[in-house]
């Protein structure tokens, strides 16, 4: 016997015209239209029924219910089908959205026509019923055509089509679809008129949208009646002046941005690449909720709830035998915690909190669900035979109470767990099935082929009926369980506890207050992060799941990550961690290669590649063949860097330093020489500092603002190329004191790096005079293998051009001797000049010359005399060859000192002395 049943409230006899006339109109429109109920509107208080006539005649008929029936005989009805020829777009109930203290017997509506005209009518029971307040033009253009309209708070919002001007050339098919715009106007209902504000364009160059008002939000949906579904839809908040781009394939919004950008094409440009790979399910029907959300009935059979924060949550899945077909009459509405869904002649009542089907009621006729303002928690239904309400059969005198917490508490946990087992088994078998037939829970229970879920369900029932382990132990002592059952229950004890605790957590989330829910979420996030980081290896599915946790719970994840890694900041600029090496091995796992897809395509409610996603990822999207894979999910290290940068930016260099230490201790480090060779160990061995820099560049829009942080990351890496890159950044910012500090610190790291740093700074010295206060410190850094020739060649090569203005760099170097003509600069620079002089280089050159002329201690052991005398020279006389240097009058031989001095002289090809003799 059904617990919830329908009870008739009215047979339309208490409305003006009686039930006979209204029934005839339903029959008349049924003959012309496939679904006449979609043209019926009910006022929020249920006292006025409006029927929009579309074919063969256009117009409007109204049936009113009077508080005092004796007045109904003399009242005027609102009937526009005798005088109007322009189709009606919709009817707006203004007093419901702009309630300014109007009494119960007063109502105000706006009838909006396709040509942009709006008639404002007011109903007063004591003043002859309906009377016209005024007629206004909504649109600015007389050629505009209104396609949809709604009222949100004190705004009238509509989507209008603006045809091209006759003088303009024919538009392409793409531009022809983007000839619509979304407009808004303020309104205020006064005693004898309606005050309208100016027209403001909220969006232009957009496709045809159906505007649906829900609370303080307006949802812009594709034209679902024509089933011309695009890949996404928009949610607009006039109060916060923002747009949200969403799709039925993803449970989180794609994009949030300010409504100051009113061009639709610019609004969605950066989403088109991702959206072009999707084939989202069609939206068969929608219904607004009282809290700003939107119910969506999808072609996949899922009923989803779009929450006002942009999250899309699955609520209920229709069985295959009642699957929605195109053209089937549907209606849905949410009454606090109860979802009423009408498919054909079947009414489903579902608990929104847990997705449990409360009741299924068969109807004799198709109907239309509506909300009655006086009883928001009770489903109301309109059909051809009258108005109905859902009541509890056991207490018909009281309307149905919302199935909120009391309903959830009354559900037996074993029933929920058994259903969860079969649903999970359904997904498991479907992924491995070669058949295209959709597997259902009923088929699993009745088929007899799948024994595993049946056995597990039986075990769950016994486990929960025992109550606790203590009770089970007592049964075992009394011979209630066999030895085999004891072993089975013992091996499954951990899994069964996990299942039961999961249901307890779900119940606490449903029943708890806001603070309790936040505490449960934080505890769950901490446990999940610790579990994932402790796993030996994260597969793609687990990594996607971890990414979703970081995106949805950023604050909770930050605290959970600190707890999992046991991070401690000692206040002296360093981080320490007591986490195990296995945790750090997971954290420092290589970045995923670009060939790895970030999100797996879905089809027919399941994954194409036989993987299942954890969390709230949706399975109602079908993907096209993709030419290129979408961007990969972020690895663990990148996720942690993002979290550190968001909540403690100053910790990022210290975190990188700690990660590098852990990388070395776990044996995952790379050789420093690899950065000199240009290789980084392959795509999967990108250095940690480069990965951290990628995160920084992706999160920081203004690079100048976080350039100091970038320099710190480069220096902390300790890699030669990174240190040189940091030096170049500091030199570009002209932080010369910091440059010298970095040079002094890292020149001790290796001779090769010392030479690179000194050479870089020497080139800067040749360009300008900003480093002159630090020259004494720089000359100390000169490498031992650098000669005077090398130094002079470097200086000459980097001297600024003579044509360069002296304000930015030296106009001509007094040291440059490449030209001795009369136009050459003076040998001594002006006091305000930026030229490089001999005097500045003299200490460096003297130091290098002294080092070159000094005997090398490197070969001191060779120069020492041996312990035994050398052999005697030959006694034959040696004849010297004739001199060939008579032209110059110089000797052909030179002493070692002369040879050394000659070697250190600057080559004449590089430094040209004056050609004319003195």
């Amino acid at each position: 016997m059904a617990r919830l049943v329908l009870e008739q409230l009215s047979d339309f006899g208490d409305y003006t015209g009686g039930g006979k006339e209204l029934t005839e109109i339903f029959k008349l429109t049924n003959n012309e239209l496939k679904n006449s109920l979609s043209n019926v509107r009910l006022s929020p208080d249920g006292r006025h029924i409006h029927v929009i006539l579309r074919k063969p005649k256009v117009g409007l008929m109204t049936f009113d219910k009077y508080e005092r029936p004796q007045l109904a005989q003399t009242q005027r009805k609102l009937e526009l089908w005798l005088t109007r020829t322009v189709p009606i777009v919709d009817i707006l109930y203004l007093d419901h959205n702009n309630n300014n203290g109007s009494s119960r017997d007063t109502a105000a509506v706006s009838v909006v026509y396709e040509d942009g005209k709006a008639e404002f009518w007011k109903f007063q029971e004591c003043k002859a019923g309906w009377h016209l307040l005024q007629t206004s033009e909504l649109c600015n253009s007389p050629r505009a055509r209104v396609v949809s309209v709604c009222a949100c708070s004190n705004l009238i919002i509509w989507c209008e089509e603006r045809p091209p001007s006759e003088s303009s050339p024919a538009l392409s098919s793409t531009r022809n679809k983007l000839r619509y715009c979304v407009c808004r106007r303020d309104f205020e209902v006064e005693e004898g008129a309606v005050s309208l504000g100016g027209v403001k364009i909220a969006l232009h160059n957009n496709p045809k949208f159906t505007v649906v008002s829900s609370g303080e939000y307006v949802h812009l949906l594709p034209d679902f009646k024509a089933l011309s579904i695009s890949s996404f839809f928009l949610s607009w908040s006039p109060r916060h002046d923002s747009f949200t781009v969403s799709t039925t394939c993803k449970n989180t919004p794609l994009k949030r941005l300010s409504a100051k950008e009113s061009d639709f094409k610019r609004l969605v440009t950066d989403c088109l690449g991702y959206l072009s790979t999707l084939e989202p399910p069609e939206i068969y029907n929608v219904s607004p909720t009282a809290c700003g959300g939107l119910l969506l009935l999808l072609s996949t059979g899922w009923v989803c709830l779009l929450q006002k924060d942009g999250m899309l949550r699955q609520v209920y899945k229709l069985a295959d035998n009642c699957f929605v077909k195109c053209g089937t009459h549907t209606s849905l509405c949410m009454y606090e915690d109860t979802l009423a869904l009408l498919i054909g002649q079947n009414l489903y009542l579902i608990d929104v909190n847990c997705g449990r089907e409360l009741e299924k009621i068969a109807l004799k006729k198709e109907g239309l669900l509506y909300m009655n303002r006086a009883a928001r928690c009770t489903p109301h239904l309109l059909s051809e035979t009258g108005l109905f309400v859902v009541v509890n059969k056991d207490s018909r005198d009281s309307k149905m109470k919302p199935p909120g917490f009391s309903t959830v508490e009354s559900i037996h946990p074993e029933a929920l767990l058994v259903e969860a087992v079969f649903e999970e088994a359904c997904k498991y078998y479907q992924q491995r099935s070669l058949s295209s037939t959709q597997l259902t829970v009923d088929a699993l229970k009745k088929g007899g082929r799948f024994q595993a879920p049946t056995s597990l369900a039986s075990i769950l029932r016994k486990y929960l009926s025992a109550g606790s382990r203590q009770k089970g132990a007592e049964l075992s002592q009394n011979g209630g369980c066999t030895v085999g059952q004891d072993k089975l229950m013992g091996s499954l004890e951990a899994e069964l506890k996990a299942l039961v605790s999961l249901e307890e957590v779900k119940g606490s989330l449903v029943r708890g207050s806001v603070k309790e829910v936040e505490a449960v979420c934080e505890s769950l996030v901490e446990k999940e992060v610790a579990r994932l980081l402790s796993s030996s290896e994260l597969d793609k599915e687990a990594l996607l799941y971890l990414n979703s946790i970081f995106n949805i719970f950023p604050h909770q994840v930050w605290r959970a990550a600190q707890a999992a890694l046991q991070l401690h900041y000692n206040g002296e600029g360093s981080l320490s961690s007591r986490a195990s090496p296995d945790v750090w091995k997971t954290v420092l796992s290589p970045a995923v290669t670009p060939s790895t897809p970030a999100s797996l395509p879905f089809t027919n409610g399941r994954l194409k590649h036989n993987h299942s996603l954890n969390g709230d990822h949706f399975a109602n999207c079908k993907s096209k063949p993709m030419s290129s894979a979408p961007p990969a999910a972020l690895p663990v290290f990148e996720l942690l860097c993002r979290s550190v940068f968001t909540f403690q930016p100053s910790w990022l260099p210290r975190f990188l330093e700690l990660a590098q230490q852990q990388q070395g201790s776990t044996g995952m480090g790379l050789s420093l020489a690899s950065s000199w060779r240009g290789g980084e160990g392959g795509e999967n061995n990108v250095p940690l500092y480069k990965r951290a820099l990628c995160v920084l560049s992706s999160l920081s829009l203004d690079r100048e603002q976080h350039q100091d942080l970038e320099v710190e990351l480069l220096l902390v890496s300790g890699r030669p190329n990174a240190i040189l890159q940091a030096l170049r950044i500091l030199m570009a910012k002209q932080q010369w004191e910091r440059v010298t500090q970095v040079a002094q610190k890292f020149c001790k790291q290796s001779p090769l790096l010392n030479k690179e740093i000194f050479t870089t700074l020497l080139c800067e010295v040749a360009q300008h005079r900003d480093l002159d206060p630090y020259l004494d410190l720089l000359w100390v850094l000169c490498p031992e293998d650098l000669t005077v020739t090398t130094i002079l060649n470097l200086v000459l090569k980097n001297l600024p051009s003579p044509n360069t203005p002296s304000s930015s760099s030296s106009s001509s170097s007094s040291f440059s001797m490449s030209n001795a003509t009369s136009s050459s600069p003076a040998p001594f620079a002006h006091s305000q000049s930026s030229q490089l002089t001999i005097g500045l280089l003299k200490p460096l050159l003297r130091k290098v010359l002294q080092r070159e002329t000094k005997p090398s201690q490197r070969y001191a052991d060779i120069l020492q005399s041996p312990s035994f005398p050398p052999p005697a020279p030959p006694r034959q006389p040696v004849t010297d060859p004739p001199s060939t240097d008579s032209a110059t009058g110089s000797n052909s031989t030179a002493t070692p000192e002369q040879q050394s001095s000659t070697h250190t002289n600057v080559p004449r090809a590089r430094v040209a002395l004056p050609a004319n003799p003195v």
Side-chain angles (χ1 to χ4, degrees), residues 311-496:
M311 299 297 293
L312 190 65
R313 181 169 70 88
Q314 288 176 323
V315 177
Y316 181 71
K317 176 72 164 64
L318 287 168
D320 290 342
N321 55 0
C322 59
F323 195 74
V324 181
K325 301 294 190 300
C326 180
T328 304
H329 171 70
T330 61
S331 179
L332 68 164
C333 191
M334 194 164 79
Y335 306 90
E336 292 192 358
D337 293 332
T338 304
L339 166 65
L341 175 61
L342 188 61
I343 305 295
Q345 297 181 7
N346 293 314
L347 176 62
Y348 299 87
L349 300 174
I350 297 105
D351 188 343
V352 175
N353 295 313
C354 60
R356 177 175 177 259
E357 183 179 306
L358 301 175
E359 199 66 65
K360 178 182 177 182
I361 303 174
L363 308 178
K364 295 180 180 179
K365 297 283 187 178
E366 294 178 347
L368 177 70
L369 293 164
Y370 69 96
M371 173 80 72
N372 191 309
R373 189 165 50 188
R376 294 181 180 275
C377 61
T378 306
H380 285 70
L381 179 73
L382 177 146
S383 73
E384 297 179 13
T385 57
L387 300 178
F388 298 85
V389 64
V390 176
V391 297
N392 193 324
K393 189 177 181 181
D394 299 332
S395 55
R396 284 184 177 240
D397 294 335
S398 62
K399 305 302 181 189
M400 187 194 74
K401 296 181 180 180
F405 301 151
S406 60
T407 304
V408 175
E409 290 169 358
S410 64
I411 298 173
H412 296 293
E414 59 265 22
L416 285 175
L417 284 172
V418 167
E419 289 299 316
V421 167
F422 279 101
E423 289 174 4
E424 193 69 26
C426 229
K427 296 177 184 177
Y428 178 85
Y429 290 128
Q430 189 70 62
Q431 290 169 6
R432 286 152 182 80
S433 174
L434 299 178
S435 173
S436 60
T437 305
Q438 186 74 19
L439 191 60
T440 63
V441 173
D442 292 336
L444 280 183
K445 290 180 178 178
K446 300 175 182 177
R449 294 176 297 167
F450 307 98
Q451 295 299 318
T454 306
S455 301
L456 182 56
S458 176
I459 293 170
L460 275 173
R461 289 192 188 96
K462 291 181 180 179
Y463 178 79
L464 292 171
S465 62
S468 63
R469 285 200 307 175
Q470 182 179 358
K471 186 174 179 180
E474 293 173 358
L475 290 174
S476 178
Q477 291 174 2
N478 297 331
C481 298
T482 62
V483 177
Q485 287 176 336
D486 287 341
K487 288 183 178 180
L488 180 62
M489 296 299 287
S491 61
L492 294 177
E493 182 75 21
E495 295 292 333
L496 294 173

Side-chain angles (χ1 to χ4, degrees), residues 847-897:
K847 175 184 176 182
V848 175
L849 282 173
Q850 289 175 355
R851 190 169 57 205
E852 289 181 355
T853 55
K854 189 182 299 183
S856 176
Q857 299 299 323
R858 191 177 301 174
Y859 307 105
D861 55 338
I862 301 176
L863 298 178
Q864 290 177 0
S865 59
S867 57
F868 52 88
R875 297 297 181 179
Q876 290 84 2
V878 179
T879 58
D880 294 335
S883 175
T884 60
D885 201 15
S886 59
T888 60
S890 60
N891 296 330
S892 61
T893 60
T895 63
E897 291 80 2

Side-chain angles (χ1 to χ4, degrees), residues 716-757:
V716 163
S717 71
R719 291 175 171 267
N721 282 340
I723 295 168
L724 294 174
Q725 184 180 347
L727 269 178
R728 294 186 190 100
I729 295 175
L730 293 173
M731 289 188 295
K733 298 178 70 175
Q734 298 185 357
Q735 297 181 1
W736 305 114
E737 184 176 0
R738 178 79 169 128
V739 167
T740 54
Q741 292 174 356
V742 171
Q744 285 180 303
K745 178 179 179 181
F746 290 97
C747 277
K748 304 171 184 178
Q749 183 169 304
S750 70
L752 189 58
L753 181 58
N754 184 9
K755 186 173 183 180
E756 288 288 337
I757 293 175

Side-chain angles (χ1 to χ4, degrees), residues 620-859:
N620 50 16
C621 171
K622 186 168 64 176
S623 175
K624 296 178 183 177
M626 291 181 291
S627 57
S628 61
L634 288 177
V636 182
F637 179 72
E638 276 78 352
L639 289 174
L640 291 172
C641 284
R642 285 180 60 180
S643 190
V644 171
F645 178 77
T646 303
F647 297 101
Q648 287 288 351
S650 60
W651 286 18
L652 190 56
R654 307 284 76 81
F655 179 73
L656 174 62
E657 186 177 19
L658 176 63
Q660 290 180 151
Q661 294 171 1
Q662 297 293 333
Q663 190 182 50
S665 62
T666 55
M668 299 175 64
L670 297 173
S671 171
L672 285 177
S674 63
S675 62
W676 288 106
R677 295 193 300 267
E680 301 293 356
E683 291 182 352
N684 288 342
N685 266 335
V686 180
L688 293 179
Y689 82 94
K690 285 191 175 182
R691 295 169 63 178
L693 286 174
C694 287
V695 173
L696 182 63
S697 62
S698 65
L699 294 177
S700 176
L701 299 177
D702 186 8
R703 187 186 175 193
E704 296 292 334
Q705 184 179 0
H706 299 289
Q707 213 164 36
D708 293 338
L709 200 56
E710 181 180 349
V711 170
E712 287 296 323
L713 292 175
L714 290 168
L715 295 178
V716 163
S717 71
R719 291 175 171 267
N721 282 340
I723 295 168
L724 294 174
Q725 184 180 347
L727 269 178
R728 294 186 190 100
I729 295 175
L730 293 173
M731 289 188 295
K733 298 178 70 175
Q734 298 185 357
Q735 297 181 1
W736 305 114
E737 184 176 0
R738 178 79 169 128
V739 167
T740 54
Q741 292 174 356
V742 171
Q744 285 180 303
K745 178 179 179 181
F746 290 97
C747 277
K748 304 171 184 178
Q749 183 169 304
S750 70
L752 189 58
L753 181 58
N754 184 9
K755 186 173 183 180
E756 288 288 337
I757 293 175
F758 181 79
T759 302
T760 302
L761 296 180
L762 186 60
C763 295
E764 285 293 313
V765 170
Q767 294 285 338
H768 51 77
R769 306 276 54 81
D770 295 330
L771 277 169
D772 286 0
Y774 311 99
L775 289 181
D776 292 340
L777 297 176
L778 296 183
W779 300 155
V780 175
L781 304 179
C782 180
E784 293 185 1
D785 58 344
L786 213 61
T787 63
V788 172
T789 304
T790 307
I791 293 173
L792 294 179
N793 284 337
L794 281 172
V795 170
L796 291 172
K797 188 182 298 182
N798 290 277
L799 282 175
S801 171
N803 298 325
T804 306
S806 59
S807 59
S808 59
S809 62
S810 58
S811 60
S812 177
S813 174
S814 63
F815 186 77
S816 176
M817 296 177 289
S818 59
N819 192 0
T821 62
S822 59
S823 61
S824 61
F828 299 100
H830 190 266
S831 59
Q832 302 296 328
S833 174
S834 61
Q835 298 175 8
L836 179 65
T837 61
I838 289 288
L840 295 175
L841 284 177
K842 188 175 180 181
L844 174 64
L845 298 176
R846 181 187 294 115
K847 175 184 176 182
V848 175
L849 282 173
Q850 289 175 355
R851 190 169 57 205
E852 289 181 355
T853 55
K854 189 182 299 183
S856 176
Q857 299 299 323
R858 191 177 301 174
Y859 307 105

